[in-house]
Amino acid sequence: MPELLEDKEKDDPVDDSMEDSNIQSSVNFSVFNHPMKDWEIVAIPIFAIIVAELLLYMGKLEAGILLHVMIPLGIAISTMWMRESNVTFSLEALAMLPILRLVNISMPVFVPTMLYLYVFIYFPLIIPVYFIVRHQKISLKELGFTLDHLYLYIPIAVVVGYMIGYGEHSIIHAGSLIPDTSALSIFKLSFVMLFFVGLVEELIFRSLLQTRLETAFGMTKGLLITSLLFGIMHSGYGQAYELLMTGLAGLLMGYMFQKTRSLPFIAISHGLVNVFLFGLIPLLGTGLGLF
């Protein structure tokens, strides 16, 4: 879900049996002569990202931005001493979250319509995503680019999109990003939310981050941690209930991705959340003009 701050080795999905926190690190990395386990290494930037977002939530913009700048720098430096592994792949995926936040904050408002601003925020993120995918040699199938059973998933995506959109609307009462419900306005909103916001965010959170954290922590913990990060990355709204709502939304969509491994399904669901939240519900009401 879009949110702006003002002024401001490829393995198959693992099962829960791999959630052994006593396994020593596969990258031979240690701190103060303490050999670190895989989960300990990956947990460091996760904790830092959460702290950075909490600083932004509390209005400490400069401190939050500084920490977000330091996270990808720290990841880049630390991976120089690590051999390529699922841990380094997880760290590369985690580095996308500070980049997402920094692009969000630093993007100047130079277009009159807020809707188009999301294009300028999310389109540049395709570049680092591309390089991560190429470096980790992730196939389209592993990313979830499949149309299998999509015709069955679309009705589910509509229902999920409306339910989450309705829930978020009751919390943040977002205004509409389009002036009316004409076919052209709805098309513009849908195009931006589906192909920029929904697709890019789900590429980052589900195709890259969740799959890597599943490898590092196991299926269940990987899903829960990704959902936590998805929720905390909406700190810019400044409402605790919104963090909880988006965290639960991330949990639901992450679970759907685990079961289907269909990126189009999850991207459509995410995009439709925003279509309802930032267009149809504000203009037509929660009943969408039907009741």
Side-chain angles (χ1 to χ4, degrees), residues 49-107:
I49 290 169
I50 292 173
V51 171
E53 285 297 309
L54 289 176
L55 287 171
L56 296 177
Y57 177 81
M58 294 184 294
K60 301 186 181 298
L61 194 61
E62 293 183 358
I65 291 174
L66 178 61
L67 184 52
H68 270 312
V69 170
M70 297 302 296
I71 293 169
L73 290 177
I75 289 174
I77 294 172
S78 63
T79 53
M80 293 172 61
W81 282 273
M82 300 180 187
R83 67 174 183 267
E84 191 172 276
S85 69
N86 284 319
V87 173
T88 57
F89 288 169
S90 298
L91 295 179
E92 290 175 0
L94 283 166
M96 285 299 306
L97 302 192
I99 293 173
L100 169 60
R101 172 59 70 221
L102 293 171
V103 171
N104 186 317
I105 293 175
S106 63
M107 187 61 62

Side-chain angles (χ1 to χ4, degrees), residues 30 35 58-59 63 75 97 105 111 120 130 142 168 174 180 187 190 219 234 265 275 282 288:
S30 63
M58 294 184 294
I75 289 174
L97 302 192
I105 293 175
V111 289
F120 293 99
Y130 169 77
E142 289 173 306
E168 283 202 77
D180 51 53
F187 172 78
S190 300
M219 295 289 282
H234 290 78
F265 173 33
V275 171
L288 302 179

Side-chain angles (χ1 to χ4, degrees), residues 40-266:
E40 292 176 320
I41 297 173
V42 177
I44 293 173
I46 291 175
F47 178 75
I49 290 169
I50 292 173
V51 171
E53 285 297 309
L54 289 176
L55 287 171
L56 296 177
Y57 177 81
M58 294 184 294
K60 301 186 181 298
L61 194 61
E62 293 183 358
I65 291 174
L66 178 61
L67 184 52
H68 270 312
V69 170
M70 297 302 296
I71 293 169
L73 290 177
I75 289 174
I77 294 172
S78 63
T79 53
M80 293 172 61
W81 282 273
M82 300 180 187
R83 67 174 183 267
E84 191 172 276
S85 69
N86 284 319
V87 173
T88 57
F89 288 169
S90 298
L91 295 179
E92 290 175 0
L94 283 166
M96 285 299 306
L97 302 192
I99 293 173
L100 169 60
R101 172 59 70 221
L102 293 171
V103 171
N104 186 317
I105 293 175
S106 63
M107 187 61 62
V109 180
F110 55 87
V111 289
T113 305
M114 184 68 74
L115 175 63
Y116 299 125
L117 185 59
Y118 292 111
V119 176
F120 293 99
I121 290 174
Y122 285 90
F123 182 76
L125 295 174
I126 296 175
I127 298 173
V129 167
Y130 169 77
F131 282 110
I132 290 176
V133 169
R134 183 166 182 174
H135 173 251
Q136 299 187 11
K137 298 181 175 63
I138 307 174
S139 67
L140 292 177
K141 181 178 180 180
E142 289 173 306
L143 288 173
F145 279 102
T146 174
L147 299 179
D148 292 347
H149 309 298
L150 186 60
Y151 68 96
L152 296 175
Y153 296 148
I154 289 178
I156 301 175
V158 173
V159 173
V160 169
Y162 173 76
M163 290 174 56
I164 297 175
Y166 176 87
E168 283 202 77
H169 174 77
S170 66
I171 296 172
I172 62 175
H173 304 289
S176 176
L177 294 176
I178 52 178
D180 51 53
T181 57
S182 66
L184 180 59
S185 294
I186 293 176
F187 172 78
K188 290 179 179 178
L189 178 65
S190 300
F191 185 83
V192 171
M193 293 304 171
L194 289 170
F195 292 100
F196 288 93
V197 180
L199 179 59
V200 174
E201 280 201 18
E202 293 309 316
L203 264 172
I204 294 172
F205 280 97
R206 246 54 69 177
S207 298
L208 294 181
L209 184 59
Q210 181 173 318
T211 55
R212 293 319 182 203
L213 293 184
E214 286 171 354
T215 302
F217 293 95
M219 295 289 282
T220 301
K221 292 179 182 177
L223 171 60
L224 292 174
I225 294 170
T226 304
S227 304
L228 172 64
L229 291 171
F230 186 78
I232 202 69
M233 288 298 292
H234 290 78
S235 63
Y237 286 114
Q239 297 194 36
Y241 286 121
E242 174 65 4
L243 301 184
L244 177 61
M245 181 67 201
T246 52
L248 292 174
L251 182 64
L252 175 59
M253 288 190 285
Y255 179 76
M256 295 191 308
F257 183 73
Q258 274 190 350
K259 292 302 181 181
T260 66
R261 292 297 172 182
S262 174
L263 178 62
F265 173 33
I266 309 305

